[in-house]
Amino acid sequence: MELWAASLLLQASRSSDFTGDDYETEPPCPPFANHDELHEIIDTTELGDIPWESLHIQYDGVRPPDNAPPWMDDTHEAWFRDPAAIVEHMLKNPDFEGEFDYKPYQQQNSAGLREYEDFMSGNWAWQQADIIAADPNTHGSMFVPIILGSDKTTVSVATGQTEYYPLYLSIGNIKNNVRRAHRNGVVLLGFLSIPKSCPMPDGHFRRAIFGIGPYIADYPEQVLLGSIVQDWCARCTAQPTDLDGPAGPRTKEHRHLAIDCLSLDELWRDYGIVGDIIPFTDSFPRADINQLLAPDLLHQVIKGGFKDHLVTWVCEYLKLEHGATEADRILDDIDYRISLTPSFPGLRRFPQGRGFKQWTGDDSKALMKVYIPAIEGHVPQDMVRALTAYLDFCYLVRRAKLNTSDLNMVDEALSRFHHYRKIFQTTGVRKPGPEGVSLPRQHASKHYRELIELFGSPNGLCSSITEAKHIKAVKEPWRRSNHHNALGQMLLTNQRLDKLAASRADFEKRGMLNGTCLYDTWKQLRDRTNASNSPNVDFNHSLNVNLDTVTTTQALGTPGGDLPSSGAPEIQPTETQPTSDENSVDDGARAIEGEALNEVFLTKTHQTAYPSRSFHDLGDQIGVVGLPRLMQEFIHSHRHPNTPSSDQTIFPPLYGRTKVYHSAVAVFHAPSDPSGYRGMRREYIRSTPSWRTDGPRHDCILVSTGGNTIKGMSIARVMLLFSYADRDATYPCALVHWFLPLGDAPDLDTGMWIVEPEFVDETPLLQVIHLDTIHRLVHLLPICGSHFVPPGLHFSQTLDMFKSYYVSKHADHNAFDILFNSI
């Protein structure tokens, strides 16, 4: 599409309206005559070409005498690609260079604590490498763990419950951030039926040994893969009535011994084994599916333990305690509290409350961020503490890197949760005793420390990776098909996409894609236009396109963008206000590809509706009469940092020029949040009198102030963003209203700091600060207590209407890392 756009750009450049001179009469032809020619060229590409194959199978085992199920008579079709060829293509993909581990490793932090991050940092890969090294025939070979994942998905309910069962493949050598970013690190291996020496990313050749590694699956898939009975654990032999009780590991040897000694009924009843179904790993010498099932953050922790269990139990408690009518009134107030959450990057709003039918993983993650302050005051103290402990566990295990100390905190949070969840039993929500809390997905949390030590950070093996892959591999190809015998068309679409991805990686390695062809074409035309000295030509306006904005978006790593070439100009993001959509995620948080420094800077576009020469007029316009004095104190503190100001201080006059902005950009390292593959992330800091026509928005920030505050940082609200330029320097500034922490430690029930806006004689305590002192945004949530919130409020008023606020540690993972145990 960029090639097509570039050709149209060239065609537009040849019009007399553009240059005022017909210097060419024949417009160039586009690169492709039509879509058929485009597809033909892609199909002839050899790079990434792995053909699809199919097999047909039919049941030939023992049949019941009467009423045999239809699947015994049906012929089942499965489509697949050669997994060895897929792995070889992944191994030689140059896009993985620098993001590929050729051998297992163990790393320690500066305190000497063992760290678990990418897959090859875990103990399992290390153990497999030891086995390979012990054999003289394989000594020195590289181990390539094969990671598999499957998850049935529905593409259309309206047209007859159209379902597909894709099987995905990845390798453990690529780093977790690459796998999560879907940079061809997860590949479609096949569609299941429903009823040698290899070149490497660095160009070198190594002898490689492939081995079955972890399998990504949710609980129903784990039951099927492990050949176990529903409600049993797929990893251990704990009884379904006491899943957290004593148990041993499920192993291939244990299964074989049990099958040899017991009947099918005894296997089913006493050990939860389906004895007449053989796991697919049974014939692999060093693969045991029950021990290879990966932790599943999405279905076990986020949607399972939090949404399906705890949120549901809270609703059930309210109905048991207060009756249906009063419970509905309380739930409406909880929904109302959630709707009053101030704006924040990445925030998903719930305008209709929590009562919608189809919950996604993103919905559950969004509810985690705001749920505890919303229910606090309506439920018992121990219930709040149970939720707090579980979210602490959840946010800890979702970190991109965990060390031994983190794992100890994981154990401590899980122990706290097990202690406080008893409140759901004493209030009658759950049955008393172990049976009341024996839930497979909640029980899975017990295995997380062991799994992290084996396989590294769980966020590199989560089923959210395969579910996200469904969009590109299944759902979008299905939508592009004519929906009649769609599978063949979907396979062809996937094959073409793989060829394009392989070609792009090859072109980049050859230096053919520095920047984008669209930007390069624009730059050439701009240079040619400047050289022609054509008068009164507005280049961007003539083409009806702003390539500065296009390049800005791409440089900051938004979807589909590339880093600009080394010769591209330095560009800062342009301030925009997207179309309002309160059902969607709030704007502002973006992943950034490449490396960057932690910094905060003003956006490119300043606002012209503010006075630029008089701080008195600017203060009058924003309602801060003392703004000139505040600015003079700021200038004095920068010019004389060792001399504090006083009433006798003579301040210099303010003759410089002021520019007001409605946004600033914070760039920081946040590898546990959605980020670029080097862990960089950006977010917008807003201070505007009107945001998406919903009223004013003035975000809150963490400011580095030192001292015995929240890890040396204080909380403030941004009332104005501006720059001030005089003869000496230009100062990027923020006018802030300070918030004061209540107490010297987080609240015991919620684990969050409590702050209140700071006033002096009923006047807000304001100060002008330099943008360099700002660390990042922070999310404040109102403390409502046991009272019902009065009607008629809007979320844009929240930060002005309540007396005190929680400093949310659940806004995102970077905030959690800063605020968790921040004493």
Side-chain angles (χ1 to χ4, degrees):
M1 297 306 295
E2 287 185 358
L3 285 173
W4 227 305
S7 68
L8 294 176
L9 196 62
L10 285 169
Q11 187 171 357
S13 72
R14 287 162 170 76
S15 67
S16 58
D17 292 337
F18 176 71
T19 62
D21 183 19
D22 290 324
Y23 59 86
E24 285 193 25
T25 58
E26 294 295 329
C29 295
F32 310 106
N34 49 45
H35 70 277
D36 290 329
E37 182 180 351
L38 171 62
H39 289 160
E40 183 179 350
I41 292 175
I42 296 173
D43 291 339
T44 57
T45 302
E46 296 183 0
L47 290 171
D49 186 15
I50 305 175
W52 286 91
E53 305 174 45
S54 67
L55 60 84
H56 297 78
I57 55 176
Q58 190 171 26
Y59 179 74
D60 62 355
V62 178
R63 300 168 58 91
D66 299 311
N67 299 322
W71 63 266
M72 289 187 174
D73 296 320
D74 292 342
T75 299
H76 303 277
E77 182 181 43
W79 284 87
F80 64 95
R81 296 189 289 179
D82 183 0
I86 290 177
V87 173
E88 289 174 6
H89 274 73
M90 297 181 75
L91 289 176
K92 63 185 179 183
N93 187 344
D95 196 33
F96 297 152
E97 186 173 0
E99 302 292 333
F100 192 95
D101 293 320
Y102 295 94
K103 57 185 178 181
Y105 63 93
Q106 294 182 358
Q107 63 183 12
Q108 295 179 334
N109 62 14
S110 57
L113 299 176
R114 173 80 182 273
E115 290 184 327
Y116 302 91
E117 184 177 9
D118 298 307
F119 181 82
M120 298 298 276
S121 69
N123 292 333
W124 185 83
W126 187 279
Q127 294 164 1
Q128 300 302 307
D130 282 345
I131 295 173
I132 292 172
D135 187 343
N137 294 321
T138 59
H139 184 84
S141 299
M142 185 184 77
F143 178 53
V144 181
I146 308 300
I147 298 173
L148 299 173
S150 58
D151 186 19
K152 184 170 63 175
T153 184
T154 302
V155 294
S156 174
V157 176
T159 58
Q161 198 72 13
T162 305
E163 296 179 323
Y164 292 96
Y165 208 149
L167 176 65
Y168 299 107
L169 182 148
S170 184
I171 54 177
N173 307 82
I174 60 175
K175 295 187 179 295
N176 286 350
N177 51 8
V178 176
R179 193 177 301 110
R180 292 198 310 272
H182 302 294
R183 292 171 53 210
N184 305 316
V186 179
V187 179
L188 183 63
L189 172 59
F191 283 91
L192 305 178
S193 179
I194 300 178
K196 11 178 188 148
S197 287
C198 305
M200 300 295 161
D202 60 1
H204 295 283
F205 283 75
R206 291 176 176 84
R207 187 180 182 188
I209 293 180
F210 302 163
I212 297 293
Y215 200 110
I216 302 172
D218 60 11
Y219 180 69
E221 291 280 319
Q222 292 182 359
V223 169
L224 178 63
L225 292 164
S227 301
I228 65 165
V229 179
Q230 187 78 20
D231 296 329
W232 288 71
C233 176
R235 188 168 182 83
C236 71
T237 59
Q239 293 292 312
T241 56
D242 187 12
L243 284 174
D244 291 333
R250 286 191 185 275
T251 63
K252 184 188 300 185
E253 293 76 19
H254 174 270
R255 176 185 177 84
H256 288 169
L257 180 61
I259 290 175
D260 291 341
C261 300
L262 302 172
S263 66
L264 291 178
D265 288 342
E266 290 173 317
L267 290 169
W268 182 287
R269 182 183 65 250
D270 298 334
Y271 291 94
I273 295 174
V274 182
D276 51 355
I277 298 180
I278 302 173
F280 82 96
T281 59
D282 216 48
S283 58
F284 288 84
R286 286 194 294 272
D288 187 341
I289 188 60
N290 295 107
Q291 295 303 304
L292 291 175
L293 292 171
D296 183 10
L297 290 171
L298 177 62
H299 294 97
Q300 291 170 347
V301 176
I302 299 168
K303 294 177 70 173
F306 173 68
K307 186 267 170 183
D308 292 342
H309 296 165
L310 296 179
V311 174
T312 301
W313 293 356
V314 167
C315 296
E316 292 176 358
Y317 160 77
L318 292 173
K319 292 177 181 178
L320 286 171
E321 181 70 16
H322 301 284
T325 302
E326 182 64 12
D328 287 342
R329 194 168 82 94
I330 294 173
L331 289 171
D332 287 343
D333 186 64
I334 291 174
D335 287 342
Y336 184 35
R337 294 180 180 190
I338 293 173
S339 72
L340 291 178
T341 301
S343 295
F344 191 80
L347 177 69
R348 185 180 294 264
R349 295 204 168 274
F350 298 91
Q352 305 302 323
R354 309 142 293 96
F356 46 91
K357 295 180 180 179
Q358 185 64 38
W359 276 81
T360 67
D362 287 338
D363 293 327
S364 298
K365 292 175 188 176
L367 190 61
M368 282 180 171
K369 300 178 180 182
V370 299
Y371 191 62
I372 290 178
I375 66 171
E376 192 269 332
H378 285 313
V379 299
Q381 182 184 62
D382 280 2
M383 211 167 280
V384 175
R385 292 185 175 186
L387 266 295
T388 297
Y390 192 79
L391 291 191
D392 286 348
F393 169 83
C394 175
Y395 275 72
L396 283 168
V397 298
R398 289 164 65 190
R399 283 180 170 174
K401 180 189 297 185
L402 296 99
N403 58 41
T404 306
S405 177
D406 296 329
L407 295 181
N408 292 336
M409 289 190 288
V410 168
D411 289 342
E412 187 275 333
L414 191 59
S415 177
R416 272 192 291 128
F417 170 66
H418 287 163
H419 172 75
Y420 287 116
R421 75 176 175 183
K422 296 174 184 176
I423 187 66
F424 292 105
Q425 295 178 293
T426 58
T427 55
V429 176
R430 304 296 300 174
K431 294 179 181 179
E435 186 177 0
V437 289
S438 288
L439 301 162
R441 286 180 294 177
Q442 203 171 113
H443 158 74
S445 303
K446 184 178 179 180
H447 297 297
Y448 267 57
R449 176 168 187 148
E450 176 191 9
L451 291 169
I452 291 169
E453 291 174 339
L454 285 173
F455 302 139
S457 174
N459 66 5
L461 295 172
C462 181
S463 62
S464 60
I465 295 174
T466 56
E467 289 206 355
K469 188 69 176 178
H470 286 338
I471 298 173
K472 292 293 184 182
V474 182
K475 296 184 178 182
E476 289 183 357
W478 184 83
R479 295 187 191 113
R480 293 171 183 168
S481 73
N482 61 17
H483 301 174
H484 176 69
N485 294 328
L487 184 56
Q489 302 168 59
M490 294 163 63
L491 299 179
L492 181 58
T493 297
N494 274 282
Q495 191 165 2
R496 286 169 173 167
L497 291 174
D498 287 344
K499 289 184 176 185
L500 288 174
S503 297
R504 183 181 184 89
D506 181 71
F507 295 164
E508 287 179 344
K509 183 182 179 181
R510 298 170 185 269
M512 298 164 60
L513 293 177
N514 290 327
T516 67
C517 59
L518 181 58
Y519 178 78
D520 186 67
T521 302
W522 170 80
K523 187 173 181 296
Q524 291 181 34
L525 290 175
R526 183 190 62 183
D527 294 343
R528 188 170 65 188
T529 303
N530 293 338
S532 68
N533 297 319
S534 299
N536 303 321
V537 174
D538 185 342
F539 183 78
N540 285 338
H541 181 266
S542 299
L543 296 181
N544 195 27
V545 62
N546 188 342
L547 266 294
D548 281 336
T549 303
V550 172
T551 310
T552 296
T553 303
Q554 293 170 343
L556 288 170
T558 49
D562 297 302
L563 289 172
S565 62
S566 57
E570 180 182 354
I571 301 173
Q572 292 184 339
T574 301
E575 180 182 36
T576 59
Q577 289 201 14
T579 304
S580 176
D581 181 4
E582 285 303 330
N583 294 320
S584 65
V585 177
D586 193 9
D587 83 306
R590 296 289 187 273
I592 300 179
E593 299 298 344
E595 298 183 17
L597 299 175
N598 286 30
E599 60 178 336
V600 178
F601 53 90
L602 296 167
T603 50
K604 184 178 180 181
T605 305
H606 72 279
Q607 304 298 312
T608 58
Y610 295 87
S612 62
R613 292 292 185 182
S614 170
F615 274 98
H616 290 281
D617 293 343
L618 179 59
D620 290 341
Q621 182 166 335
I622 66 173
V624 180
V625 177
L627 182 59
R629 174 61 179 260
L630 294 174
M631 190 61 201
Q632 287 175 324
E633 290 177 347
F634 169 80
I635 296 296
H636 175 82
S637 67
H638 272 261
R639 292 178 178 174
H640 311 284
N642 298 321
T643 307
S645 63
S646 65
D647 294 338
Q648 287 73 41
T649 301
I650 300 176
F651 294 108
L654 301 173
Y655 294 133
R657 181 180 178 85
T658 305
K659 294 181 180 180
V660 174
Y661 299 78
H662 285 171
S663 300
V665 178
V667 178
F668 51 94
H669 189 249
S672 297
D673 289 299
S675 56
Y677 66 90
R678 298 196 186 277
M680 298 308 299
R681 180 176 173 85
R682 78 152 192 239
E683 62 187 12
Y684 281 102
I685 300 171
R686 307 283 185 184
S687 180
T688 173
S690 179
W691 174 247
R692 294 180 171 179
T693 69
D694 278 325
R697 174 173 171 179
H698 297 282
D699 290 339
C700 296
I701 54 174
L702 277 172
V703 183
S704 299
T705 55
N708 296 321
T709 52
I710 305 174
K711 283 194 173 179
M713 290 181 284
S714 299
I715 308 297
R717 188 180 181 195
V718 180
M719 309 310 295
L720 186 71
L721 291 165
F722 64 98
S723 66
Y724 174 74
D726 61 14
R727 69 181 68 180
D728 297 324
T730 298
Y731 302 95
C733 302
L735 174 68
V736 300
H737 179 193
W738 291 109
F739 280 65
L740 183 68
L742 299 183
D744 54 4
D747 175 59
L748 292 177
D749 294 338
T750 63
M752 291 184 272
W753 287 84
I754 297 176
V755 296
E756 64 180 9
E758 194 167 358
F759 294 87
V760 177
D761 298 328
E762 299 184 354
T763 300
L765 180 59
L766 303 176
Q767 184 178 354
V768 174
I769 63 173
H770 197 284
L771 256 60
D772 286 349
T773 64
I774 298 176
H775 182 70
R776 58 154 298 173
L777 282 174
V778 70
H779 201 201
L780 301 190
L781 301 176
I783 298 178
C784 304
S786 58
H787 303 289
F788 284 78
V789 179
L793 298 181
H794 188 265
F795 66 84
S796 63
Q797 303 170 313
T798 299
L799 292 173
D800 298 310
M801 301 300 295
F802 290 82
K803 293 183 178 179
S804 55
Y805 302 85
Y806 289 118
V807 182
S808 175
K809 64 180 179 181
H810 301 129
D812 51 47
H813 293 283
N814 183 259
F816 182 83
D817 292 343
I818 294 171
L819 298 170
F820 181 68
N821 287 340
S822 51
I823 301 175

